[in-house]
Amino acid sequence: MLDPKLLEALQAVVECGGFEKAAQRLFLTQSAVSQRIKLLEERLGQPVVTRTSPIDTTVAGRRLLRHFHQLSLMEKDLLDTLQVTRTDSAFTMLAIGVNADSLAGWFLQAVKPFLKRHPVVLDLLMDDQDYTHELMRNGHVAGCVSTRAQAVQGSECRLLGHVRYLCLATPAFRDRFFSSGMTPEALSAAPAILYDRKKDDMHHQFLSGTLGFTGHFPAFALPTPEGFLDYTREGLAYSLQPELMLADDLDTGRLVDLCPGLWMDMPMYWHHWRIESNLISEIEETLVEFALAHLRQP
Amino acid sequence: MLDPKLLEALQAVVECGGFEKAAQRLFLTQSAVSQRIKLLEERLGQPVVTRTSPIDTTVAGRRLLRHFHQLSLMEKDLLDTLQVTRTDSAFTMLAIGVNADSLAGWFLQAVKPFLKRHPVVLDLLMDDQDYTHELMRNGHVAGCVSTRAQAVQGSECRLLGHVRYLCLATPAFRDRFFSSGMTPEALSAAPAILYDRKKDDMHHQFLSGTLGFTGHFPAFALPTPEGFLDYTREGLAYSLQPELMLADDLDTGRLVDLCPGLWMDMPMYWHHWRIESNLISEIEETLVEFALAHLRQP
């Protein structure tokens, strides 16, 4: 079997982004850490990390990391079952991938009951929408929330529900820009909000797929979903808003639905490795419970 | 002079991340866009974009982009002065770099008065702390908020003020983990919150620089500053919080200061190109006004 000390060194080097910090973290000299990585590479006959700054993993390194994370979770279960007192930190670290919308919109809220029951600290890795899936494939996370249904090999996935996005603005904004409806002329003049200008975005999908508009339009790029709601409420732009992030905005008329009867439903899937782990099962239960209460069920 | 059409094509290719989308955006064929980029490259004798996916700029391309942004701002001023009705979208796009903490903590709030006075949409480019400075150097942004005082060549910078970070937790969290104070033993057991595990983080600086602790500690990695306050209020962790994001947490005793008299003051500098632009001057005035009211002044 591979010496877990070598895997632990790899994990520290990748997590800390370099040999020097990994050494501090493991209370070792830098050359001891470097030696452990070399031993791993000799054993595998190939490099496990790139010698770049910051350090990244090779394909082999990613497979090893995934293996190490799985071992850690399985060992935690074993020790819990045997009621062994663990000598390392009382907190287990669980790496989870979450897309930016979900992180701001519901994920942090949804996992709270789980975190209050277990000594776990979350290592949340975020990117916009579909990329979180890659984190799973690369072994950087033990589970992820993704819009994709396709399970990575060796993992399982289940639908949590759909997040419904409505196209909203203040009444004053609607009167100023959309008094004649969502026409191409109006859409090319009214400022919208995008998460990130470079990526394919839900707003583009909504305009082209639902409204048939593919022209250019002015848009804020706000890489913080919380900012979307704030700027929409201020009347600075219109935007697609997840309904579960809204307070009483629609009831009070602070915001109005620009396209009644039209929306985007984004599916949310929970992916996790196919291993026996109580922590993974329990986080899944917590997410499912939240999803049944707050996400749209098909 | 370089044909602005060529620069516009470059800007569209970089902003859209590829030739096909740039073509849609400019209502041109893909080969027309490609032709314009080639003309630019022939004129300069070197490539301006990498033929990767997504496309990135070369050093020459970045300099051209910066030049193009400057021209756009100067032309806007000129047309405003001459009271010429512009034929393109009524909204001017202004690219600004902001570090993640500032974006969540005060920047979106601070620029609102400016946005309410001017038909401007912001293109906000974010990264953790010091990296925003690079966006300025690369010409991706017209201005940026950074913790660094050093001005990029051709730009000016001024101190807006300091954001003060306090080390906070709920009273119950303090009693559970820090009943004997901020000792090394307590710090290695109490869960903290980091923005991103891989980067050098204010929390590490506070622990090592202010408290003299360099050991390992359990920590959440939450890549959303809003989550910091939420999870700290829930008693799941302790964290460094910018005082201007706090509501009445300290007055009501919901949160307590774990290290009274100790804090981190992060300087916030406003950087902008040294060009005549009313928009840039006015956004600066707005930021300075907010900073005088809400940031710590030296």
Side-chain angles (χ1 to χ4, degrees):
Chain A
M1 270 183 67
L2 286 168
D3 183 348
K5 279 205 173 55
L6 307 187
L7 294 173
E8 191 187 34
L10 173 63
Q11 209 263 338
V13 166
V14 172
E15 195 184 304
C16 303
F19 287 85
E20 193 185 332
K21 284 191 191 153
Q24 286 170 6
R25 151 91 173 276
L26 297 171
F27 303 106
L28 293 171
T29 62
Q30 200 173 327
S31 78
V33 172
S34 171
Q35 185 59 26
R36 289 180 184 193
I37 299 296
K38 271 192 206 131
L39 280 171
L40 259 187
E41 295 184 327
E42 278 167 21
R43 176 71 193 277
L44 296 179
Q46 52 188 306
V48 296
V49 292
T50 60
R51 266 65 173 183
T52 52
S53 174
I55 274 176
D56 202 1
T57 44
T58 62
V59 174
R62 285 193 279 279
R63 297 211 49 180
L64 281 182
L65 268 189
R66 177 169 157 176
H67 176 70
F68 179 70
H69 285 147
Q70 290 178 332
L71 287 187
S72 307
L73 286 172
M74 289 163 71
E75 183 175 295
K76 187 193 172 296
D77 275 4
L78 177 72
L79 297 184
D80 284 351
T81 314
L82 301 175
Q83 300 192 301
V84 174
T85 312
R86 303 184 322 134
T87 50
D88 49 347
S89 162
F91 283 85
T92 303
M93 190 170 83
L94 201 56
I96 305 281
V98 190
N99 55 51
D101 272 336
S102 298
L103 184 61
W106 60 274
F107 183 84
L108 286 183
Q109 188 64 30
V111 290
K112 278 182 194 168
F114 168 80
L115 295 172
K116 288 183 177 173
R117 283 198 305 270
H118 298 280
V120 163
V121 289
L122 295 177
D123 189 13
L124 296 181
L125 297 164
M126 181 180 85
D127 208 307
D128 200 17
Q129 298 302 348
D130 305 317
Y131 180 74
T132 42
H133 212 72
E134 287 305 307
L135 296 171
M136 185 81 190
R137 198 192 310 274
N138 292 341
H140 287 133
V141 296
C144 78
V145 172
S146 165
T147 55
R148 290 175 60 176
Q150 221 179 321
V152 171
Q153 206 188 352
S155 77
E156 282 172 6
C157 119
R158 70 185 282 178
L159 180 65
L160 292 171
H162 289 80
V163 175
R164 178 159 296 178
Y165 288 79
L166 302 171
C167 186
L168 305 178
T170 60
F173 188 94
R174 179 189 56 190
D175 296 346
R176 177 173 168 201
F177 288 101
F178 296 119
S179 56
S180 309
M182 308 290 278
T183 61
E185 293 69 33
L187 289 168
S188 64
I193 314 183
L194 309 176
Y195 181 74
D196 178 336
R197 209 170 288 278
K198 281 194 188 154
K199 288 186 188 154
D200 243 338
D201 183 277
M202 211 182 316
H203 199 90
H204 283 108
Q205 289 173 35
F206 184 73
L207 292 189
S208 62
T210 308
L211 302 178
F213 175 78
T214 55
H216 186 52
F217 56 91
F220 285 86
L222 300 186
T224 163
E226 287 90 346
F228 278 49
L229 188 53
D230 183 19
Y231 272 36
T232 306
R233 283 176 177 160
E234 291 280 347
L236 293 169
Y238 76 107
S239 66
L240 287 172
Q241 291 292 333
E243 59 179 358
L244 54 71
M245 275 183 81
L246 299 172
D248 56 358
D249 298 272
L250 289 173
D251 297 335
T252 58
R254 187 179 188 182
L255 294 178
V256 291
D257 191 343
L258 295 174
C259 309
L262 298 179
W263 53 71
M264 295 277 283
D265 274 355
M266 295 300 280
M268 291 293 153
Y269 293 91
W270 166 245
H271 295 254
H272 65 88
W273 292 331
R274 203 182 298 134
I275 55 164
E276 289 292 323
S277 159
N278 289 332
L279 279 185
I280 295 292
S281 314
E282 289 210 32
I283 202 169
E284 176 168 325
E285 272 168 42
T286 311
L287 291 177
V288 167
E289 202 170 307
F290 181 89
L292 286 173
H294 300 284
L295 303 192
R296 297 251 170 193
Q297 298 301 318
Chain B
M1 268 183 68
L2 285 168
D3 183 349
K5 278 204 173 54
L6 307 187
L7 294 173
E8 192 187 35
L10 173 64
Q11 208 263 338
V13 165
V14 172
E15 195 183 302
C16 303
F19 286 85
E20 194 186 330
K21 285 192 188 149
Q24 287 170 9
R25 151 90 175 276
L26 296 171
F27 303 106
L28 292 172
T29 62
Q30 200 173 326
S31 79
V33 172
S34 172
Q35 185 58 28
R36 289 180 185 193
I37 299 295
K38 270 190 209 132
L39 280 171
L40 259 187
E41 295 183 329
E42 279 167 20
R43 177 72 194 277
L44 296 179
Q46 54 188 306
V48 296
V49 291
T50 59
R51 265 66 174 181
T52 51
S53 175
I55 273 176
D56 202 359
T57 43
T58 61
V59 173
R62 284 194 279 280
R63 296 211 50 178
L64 281 181
L65 268 189
R66 177 170 157 174
H67 176 70
F68 179 70
H69 285 147
Q70 291 177 333
L71 286 187
S72 307
L73 286 171
M74 288 163 72
E75 184 176 294
K76 188 193 171 298
D77 275 4
L78 176 72
L79 298 184
D80 283 352
T81 313
L82 301 175
Q83 298 191 304
V84 175
T85 312
R86 303 183 321 136
T87 51
D88 51 346
S89 162
F91 283 85
T92 303
M93 190 169 82
L94 201 56
I96 305 281
V98 191
N99 57 49
D101 272 336
S102 299
L103 184 60
W106 61 272
F107 183 84
L108 286 182
Q109 188 63 32
V111 289
K112 277 180 194 168
F114 168 79
L115 295 171
K116 288 184 177 171
R117 284 197 304 270
H118 298 281
V120 164
V121 289
L122 295 177
D123 189 12
L124 295 181
L125 297 164
M126 180 181 86
D127 209 307
D128 199 18
Q129 297 302 348
D130 305 318
Y131 180 74
T132 42
H133 210 74
E134 287 305 307
L135 297 170
M136 185 82 190
R137 197 191 310 274
N138 292 341
H140 287 132
V141 297
C144 79
V145 172
S146 164
T147 54
R148 290 175 60 177
Q150 219 179 323
V152 170
Q153 204 187 355
S155 76
E156 282 173 5
C157 118
R158 70 186 279 179
L159 179 66
L160 292 171
H162 289 80
V163 176
R164 178 160 298 178
Y165 288 79
L166 302 172
C167 187
L168 304 179
T170 60
F173 188 95
R174 179 190 55 190
D175 296 346
R176 178 172 165 203
F177 289 100
F178 295 120
S179 55
S180 309
M182 308 292 277
T183 62
E185 293 68 35
L187 289 168
S188 63
I193 314 184
L194 310 176
Y195 180 74
D196 177 334
R197 208 170 289 279
K198 280 193 188 153
K199 289 187 187 149
D200 243 338
D201 181 279
M202 211 183 315
H203 198 91
H204 283 107
Q205 288 173 35
F206 184 73
L207 292 190
S208 62
T210 308
L211 301 179
F213 175 78
T214 55
H216 186 51
F217 56 91
F220 286 86
L222 300 187
T224 163
E226 288 90 346
F228 277 49
L229 188 53
D230 183 17
Y231 272 36
T232 305
R233 282 176 177 160
E234 291 281 348
L236 292 168
Y238 76 107
S239 66
L240 286 173
Q241 292 291 333
E243 59 179 358
L244 53 71
M245 277 184 82
L246 298 172
D248 56 358
D249 298 271
L250 288 173
D251 296 335
T252 59
R254 187 178 187 183
L255 295 178
V256 290
D257 191 343
L258 293 174
C259 308
L262 298 179
W263 53 70
M264 295 276 283
D265 275 355
M266 296 299 280
M268 291 293 152
Y269 292 91
W270 167 246
H271 295 256
H272 65 87
W273 293 330
R274 203 182 298 136
I275 55 167
E276 289 292 321
S277 158
N278 289 331
L279 279 186
I280 295 291
S281 312
E282 289 211 31
I283 201 169
E284 175 168 326
E285 271 169 42
T286 311
L287 291 177
V288 167
E289 203 171 305
F290 180 90
L292 286 174
H294 300 283
L295 303 192
R296 297 251 169 191
Q297 298 302 318

